[in-house]
């Protein structure tokens, strides 16, 4: 096809080679790598300023009898270019989907070394659980200092300096103030005194914490250990309230098969006093070596707050009555998890700590 002689003086010589347009378009379309870029190329190939559009405009320069054939070929070229674009679009979309799938793929066979994570020590977990049980029964949780004066640890608890009961606790004194006046608390009972002094009755509180005694470590004793103290002070509190509280706690913490019993005992700060025992968790009360065939295991001490203790903190024992109890958290852990030797709690042997 040749442009007619009248044409050509103007700026643009019409391109009337549709096959060339198609093959140029084919090459251009293949260079495109994204769907977005393909839209631009589409405008370039088929838009108002495209070679194809110019060729259409150029039809007028042809002799009238040549125009239909030339027009048909141009239309064919448009369809061919559209097909090229559609084909490229399909392939680009397919590639993009495949790329996305690869990127989002999970390799379920991948083996990752698990990160070593710390965890709470079993004794701490026991403490948390005990607190939960008592909070569920309406108690608050309080804490006191680990370094105490002689007054809080002994005297206010009705153990004057010469009292023989002081011999029950092998005390670690601190090199502070006058000799034998400041010490590492030997039990959590001094927190009872702080509670009564600081907030006054009514009191329904448990007081967990660390205690220290100059003990020789063995399977059931460690020199640094934990206790949880309980104190209730209100009007009209009776020994039955104490027994009921101990029994509720025992079944709540150890399970419905484990019960409690109280046996007469002596503590300077309670009157009357009792030891509380729970069903042996090993034999469930049948009798075994751990419980010396009795079916019972001692857990702690308890009793009604002695009027002398109320007097030490200025409370009128005609108005207020109360009970107290205290037991070892480590002992509790040992019993509940059937751990033969308590010393593993402090050995820091990772092989043991990983299991508990
Ligand atoms: N403080 C005592 C001890 O360490 C245990 C104890 C006994 C606590 C009787 C009490 C109690 O509150 O009433 O052996």
């Amino acid at each position: 096809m040749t442009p007619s002689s009248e044409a050509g003086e103007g700026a643009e010589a019409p391109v009337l080679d549709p096959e060339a347009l198609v093959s140029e378009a084919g090459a251009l379309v293949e260079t495109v790598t994204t769907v977005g870029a393909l839209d631009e190329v589409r405008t370039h190939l088929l838009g108002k300023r495209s070679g194809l559009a110019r060729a259409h405009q150029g039809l007028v320069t042809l002799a009238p009898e040549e125009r239909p054939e030339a027009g048909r070929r141009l239309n064919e070229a448009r369809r061919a270019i559209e097909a090229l674009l559609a084909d490229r679009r399909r392939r680009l979309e397919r590639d993009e989907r495949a790329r996305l799938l690869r990127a989002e793929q999970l390799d379920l066979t991948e083996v990752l070394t698990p990160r070593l994570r710390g965890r709470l020590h079993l004794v701490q977990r026991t403490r948390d659980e005990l607190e939960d049980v008592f909070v569920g029964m309406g108690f608050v949780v309080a804490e006191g200092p680990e370094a105490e004066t002689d007054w809080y640890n002994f005297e206010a608890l009705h153990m004057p300096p010469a009292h023989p009961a002081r011999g029950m606790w092998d005390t670690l004194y601190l090199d502070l103030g006058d000799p034998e006046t400041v010490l590492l608390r030997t039990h959590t009972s001094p927190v009872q005194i702080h509670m009564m002094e600081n907030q006054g009755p009514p009191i329904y509180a448990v007081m967990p914490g660390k205690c220290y005694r100059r003990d020789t470590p063995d399977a059931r004793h460690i020199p640094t250990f934990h206790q949880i103290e309980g104190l209730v002070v209100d009007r009209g509190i009776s020994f039955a309230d104490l027994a009921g509280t101990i029994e509720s706690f025992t079944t709540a913490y150890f399970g419905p098969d484990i019960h409690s019993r109280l046996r007469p005992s002596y503590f300077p700060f309670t009157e009357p006093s009792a030891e509380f025992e729970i069903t042996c968790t090993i034999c469930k009360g049948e009798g075994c070596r751990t419980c010396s065939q009795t079916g019972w295991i001692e857990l702690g001490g308890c009793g009604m707050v002695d009027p002398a203790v109320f007097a030490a903190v200025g409370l009128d024992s005609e108005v207020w009555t109360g009970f107290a109890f205290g037991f070892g958290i480590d002992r509790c852990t040992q019993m509940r998890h059937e751990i033969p030797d308590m010393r593993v709690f402090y050995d820091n042997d990772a092989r043991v700590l990983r299991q508990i």
Side-chain angles (χ1 to χ4, degrees):
M1 192 186 294
T2 41
S4 77
S5 51
E6 301 98 337
E9 309 129 340
E12 285 170 25
V15 179
L16 286 182
D17 186 354
E19 288 74 23
L21 285 174
V22 173
S23 73
E24 272 166 35
L28 181 61
V29 158
E30 285 309 312
T31 64
V32 171
T33 53
T34 68
V35 174
L38 192 64
D39 288 335
E40 283 170 31
V41 166
R42 180 187 185 84
T43 314
H44 175 75
L45 291 174
L46 302 174
K48 282 190 194 129
R49 295 161 193 261
S50 61
L52 196 66
R54 280 203 305 280
H56 266 288
Q57 289 152 12
L59 285 177
V60 295
T61 65
L62 296 181
E65 67 279 10
E66 290 177 359
R67 287 179 198 165
E69 171 61 8
R72 193 189 56 74
R73 286 176 58 209
L74 281 177
N75 283 340
E76 233 168 55
R78 167 175 286 275
R79 276 196 297 279
I81 292 172
E82 268 169 356
L84 285 170
L85 284 164
D87 175 59
R88 185 70 187 133
R89 173 177 291 271
R90 246 191 323 278
R91 282 183 288 131
L92 283 174
E93 282 176 351
R94 190 195 56 207
D95 291 353
E96 240 158 67
R97 226 179 359 258
R99 204 169 45 244
L100 213 69
L101 274 178
R102 265 197 310 282
E104 291 181 353
Q105 184 169 296
L106 283 179
D107 180 0
L108 298 178
T109 65
E110 195 176 19
V111 178
L112 296 173
T113 340
R115 242 196 244 175
L116 266 183
R117 279 193 167 178
R119 69 180 90 185
L120 291 178
H121 192 279
L122 190 55
V123 172
Q124 178 64 43
R125 295 206 312 261
T126 305
R127 172 179 165 166
D128 291 345
E129 285 172 27
L130 290 170
E131 286 180 13
D132 284 351
V133 169
F134 283 108
V135 166
M137 290 164 70
F139 285 65
V140 299
V141 179
E143 283 188 62
E146 288 175 20
E148 283 287 12
T149 59
D150 179 274
W151 193 78
Y152 282 101
N153 198 79
F154 295 124
E155 232 177 301
L157 290 163
H158 198 34
M159 284 176 275
H163 197 288
R166 288 194 179 206
M168 291 161 74
W169 294 281
D170 241 332
T171 309
L172 292 163
Y173 285 98
L174 294 176
D175 197 0
L176 203 70
D178 290 337
E180 301 196 358
T181 51
V182 184
L183 48 98
L184 291 176
R185 67 180 177 193
T186 58
H187 52 174
T188 43
S189 300
V191 194
Q192 290 186 31
I193 306 299
H194 290 290
M195 284 301 284
M196 288 190 273
E197 279 182 346
N198 295 343
Q199 74 157 62
I203 297 170
Y204 293 81
V206 285
M207 299 146 266
K210 213 178 268 177
C211 310
Y212 306 83
R213 282 185 206 171
R214 237 198 77 230
D215 254 341
T216 307
D218 64 26
R220 284 160 63 82
H221 296 90
I222 34 185
T224 304
F225 58 102
H226 302 79
Q227 285 189 337
I228 184 162
E229 192 81 13
L231 177 68
V232 168
V233 180
D234 207 337
R235 293 184 166 86
I237 298 294
S238 75
F239 201 92
D241 296 316
L242 166 60
T245 303
I246 298 278
E247 174 66 13
S248 303
F249 146 73
T250 304
T251 49
Y253 180 70
F254 288 99
D257 296 342
I258 308 295
H259 297 283
S260 63
R261 72 173 183 183
L262 303 181
R263 302 213 306 162
S265 184
Y266 170 75
F267 294 99
F269 35 90
T270 43
E271 180 59 37
S273 302
E275 268 169 11
F276 75 88
E277 299 185 332
I278 60 162
T279 316
C280 175
T281 52
I282 312 287
C283 65
K284 305 280 183 295
E286 295 287 308
C288 66
R289 264 182 50 213
T290 308
C291 61
S292 313
Q293 308 304 330
T294 62
W296 295 94
I297 287 207
E298 188 205 325
L299 198 62
C302 60
M304 301 307 289
V305 178
D306 194 295
V309 174
F310 282 139
V313 293
L315 286 180
D316 184 349
S317 56
E318 293 298 318
V319 178
W320 303 106
T321 45
F323 65 76
F325 59 84
F327 57 90
I329 298 177
D330 315 74
R331 181 71 59 82
C332 213
T333 312
Q334 186 181 26
M335 226 95 88
R336 164 110 176 242
H337 298 276
E338 298 168 25
I339 296 164
D341 194 320
M342 207 184 251
R343 283 170 289 189
V344 300
F345 294 152
Y346 288 89
D347 284 346
N348 266 344
D349 186 332
R351 290 167 306 176
V352 174
L353 295 177
R354 258 200 298 275
Q355 295 176 56
I356 61 177

